[in-house]
């Protein structure tokens, strides 16, 4: 991959400062709204995160020549970070994840509060229900952030198509993820489709689309940016799968091997299963893992390496990165934005958190 983009670090960092200020400003205006839910939502949004979605959107806007009304655009992109909070809160409930960003998951916070205050009923059900409402509130606030940012009406109209598609694709991808478990779908094709919808579309592809649309990009530029975003987004999810299995909890803020314990139907696992067909012991271990049976995380990780599944995923990441960068190279866009997007792509597919 290309790496000659270090000179543009300051431009990305400048956006990060502007964005964090806009994010804090937006959340401060919501402090008095639904306080028992809003406080936890605010804490979740500000607890960390890579801000990758608004950053890609910003450079999609810059790539298409965006230069004016920058303050309104930055405020509009707050919507992406708040939408991400909706996805994370709901995802943690569905996956029974105990932690997020180094702190207890939202449903765990409310369940603990229920037990501490000796409330009636099930603490787990209360925690899950409250977390669903926090996620719903985040979805509502994401819309608010976009439509109240001060964008010109024509820009908001152009961006609305990408915004609508992104919200729907995120939810459809999450449902497909649930279906994969319910139906025991272990195909690589299905796992890649889930990655494309659940992560790639709303992490890279649609944010780029949104930013470019706000700037009034022509269809050809949007097409190239979306192709770039799709490939880099899928590569991002594949990297996330590896981190979810092999990552350091001190760095990721999540328990080591959480994806293994949850038996997630990831492309990594799909590849391993296909390669284990003539290895009964390995196949049995992987199936116990997927079925929620007792397994050693270390043993599963060792099998994933021995079967060559990890190497295969790494190779696929490289191929997707190359394909995405080729699409970006075809786009007629601003040079500084092209260099920044190359840098962001490098970060996305080589990260460790």
């Amino acid at each position: 991959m290309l790496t000659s983009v270090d000179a543009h670090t300051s431009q990305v960092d400048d956006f990060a400062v502007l964005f964090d200020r806009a994010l804090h400003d937006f959340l401060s205006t919501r402090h008095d709204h639904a306080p028992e839910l809003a406080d936890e939502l605010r804490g979740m949004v500000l607890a960390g995160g890579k801000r990758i979605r608004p950053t890609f959107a910003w450079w999609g806007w810059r790539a298409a020549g965006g230069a004016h009304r920058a303050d309104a655009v930055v405020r509009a992109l707050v919507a992406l970070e708040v939408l991400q909070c909706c996805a994370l809160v709901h995802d943690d409930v569905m996956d029974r994840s105990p932690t997020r960003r180094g702190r207890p998951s939202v449903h765990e916070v409310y369940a603990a509060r229920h037990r501490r205050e000796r409330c009636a009923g099930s603490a787990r059900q209360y925690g899950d229900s409250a977390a669903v409402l926090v996620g719903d509130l985040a979805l509502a606030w994401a819309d608010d952030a976009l439509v109240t940012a001060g964008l010109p009406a024509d820009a908001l109209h152009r961006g609305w198509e990408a915004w609508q598609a992104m919200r729907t694709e995120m939810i459809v991808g999450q449902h497909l993820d649930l279906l994969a478990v319910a139906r025991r779908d272990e195909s690589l094709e299905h796992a890649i489709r889930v990655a494309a919808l659940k992560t790639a579309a709303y992490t890279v592809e649609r944010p780029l689309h949104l930013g470019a649309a706000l700037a009034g990009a022509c269809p050809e530029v949007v097409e190239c940016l979306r192709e770039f975003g799709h490939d880099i987004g899928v590569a991002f999810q594949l990297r996330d799968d590896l981190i979810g299995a092999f990552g350091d909890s001190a760095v990721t803020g999540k328990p080591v091997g959480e994806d293994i314990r949850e038996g997630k139907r990831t492309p990594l696992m799909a590849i391993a299963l296909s390669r284990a067909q003539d290895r009964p012991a390995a196949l049995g271990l992987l199936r116990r893992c997927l079925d929620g049976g007792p397994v050693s995380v270390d043993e599963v990780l060792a099998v994933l390496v021995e079967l060559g599944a990890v190497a295969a995923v790494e190779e696929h990441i490289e191929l997707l990165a190359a394909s995405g960068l080729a699409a970006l190279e075809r786009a007629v866009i601003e040079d500084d934005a092209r260099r920044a997007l190359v840098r962001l792509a490098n970060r996305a597919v080589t990260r460790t958190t």
Side-chain angles (χ1 to χ4, degrees), residues 5-21 50-60 62 74 77 335-348:
V5 290
D6 292 341
H8 297 269
T9 300
S10 61
Q11 295 183 55
V12 176
D13 291 343
D14 287 346
F15 168 72
V17 172
L18 293 172
F19 180 79
D20 278 348
R21 186 180 305 150
K50 294 173 280 295
R51 314 299 191 226
I52 188 170
R53 291 156 189 84
T55 305
F56 270 111
W58 170 258
W59 286 105
R62 290 285 301 274
V74 173
L77 300 186
D335 287 340
D336 63 337
R338 189 191 312 277
R339 288 188 288 266
L341 287 171
V342 170
R343 180 175 181 271
L344 288 172
N346 272 300
R347 276 188 184 177

Side-chain angles (χ1 to χ4, degrees), residues 69-266:
R69 302 188 71 89
D71 288 345
V73 172
V74 173
R75 288 194 295 269
L77 300 186
V78 165
L80 292 165
E81 197 64 25
V82 181
L83 180 68
Q84 163 72 345
C85 186
C86 163
L88 294 179
V89 171
H90 286 170
D91 195 51
D92 286 344
V93 172
M94 287 182 265
D95 289 346
R96 309 310 314 166
S97 298
T99 61
R100 172 68 66 177
R101 294 176 173 173
R103 62 202 296 265
S105 299
V106 171
H107 63 277
E108 293 287 352
V109 169
Y110 282 103
R113 187 176 303 170
H114 183 283
R115 288 188 290 268
R116 186 170 59 251
E117 297 177 3
R118 300 181 182 276
C119 297
S122 164
R124 173 170 169 165
Q125 182 177 358
Y126 174 78
D128 289 355
S129 300
V132 167
L133 293 175
V134 170
D136 290 347
L137 185 63
L139 182 60
W141 283 9
D143 281 346
D144 292 349
L146 181 62
V147 301
T148 64
L151 293 169
D154 58 341
L156 182 58
H157 179 74
R158 289 193 304 267
W160 195 251
E161 177 189 352
W163 179 251
Q164 286 181 306
M166 177 168 47
R167 291 176 306 172
T168 300
E169 288 162 352
M170 180 186 78
I171 294 168
V172 170
Q174 186 67 55
H175 183 233
L176 288 176
D177 200 16
L178 289 174
L179 278 177
V181 176
R183 294 176 176 174
R184 295 182 173 85
D185 193 326
E186 298 165 353
S187 70
L188 179 59
E189 180 182 7
H190 184 86
I192 291 294
R193 186 180 176 215
V194 170
L197 284 171
K198 183 181 175 183
T199 301
Y202 100 100
T203 299
V204 187
E205 180 183 353
R206 291 299 186 182
L208 283 168
H209 183 188
L210 175 63
L214 292 178
C218 67
E220 292 78 13
V221 166
V222 170
E223 182 180 356
C224 287
L225 288 176
R226 286 190 60 191
E227 185 178 339
F228 163 74
H230 173 274
D231 289 351
I232 297 302
V234 174
F236 176 94
Q237 179 57 52
L238 294 179
R239 177 62 61 197
D240 203 57
D241 293 340
L242 292 177
I243 293 170
F246 295 90
D248 181 352
S249 61
V251 177
T252 65
K254 302 280 284 183
V256 174
E258 184 173 44
D259 286 359
I260 300 300
R261 280 187 290 274
E262 292 173 1
K264 284 193 173 182
R265 264 72 174 173
T266 62

Side-chain angles (χ1 to χ4, degrees), residues 2-37:
L2 301 177
T3 57
S4 57
V5 290
D6 292 341
H8 297 269
T9 300
S10 61
Q11 295 183 55
V12 176
D13 291 343
D14 287 346
F15 168 72
V17 172
L18 293 172
F19 180 79
D20 278 348
R21 186 180 305 150
L23 182 61
H24 278 80
D25 288 347
F26 174 79
L27 293 172
S28 68
T29 67
R30 303 277 152 168
H31 185 73
D32 295 331
H33 297 262
E36 291 191 2
L37 299 176

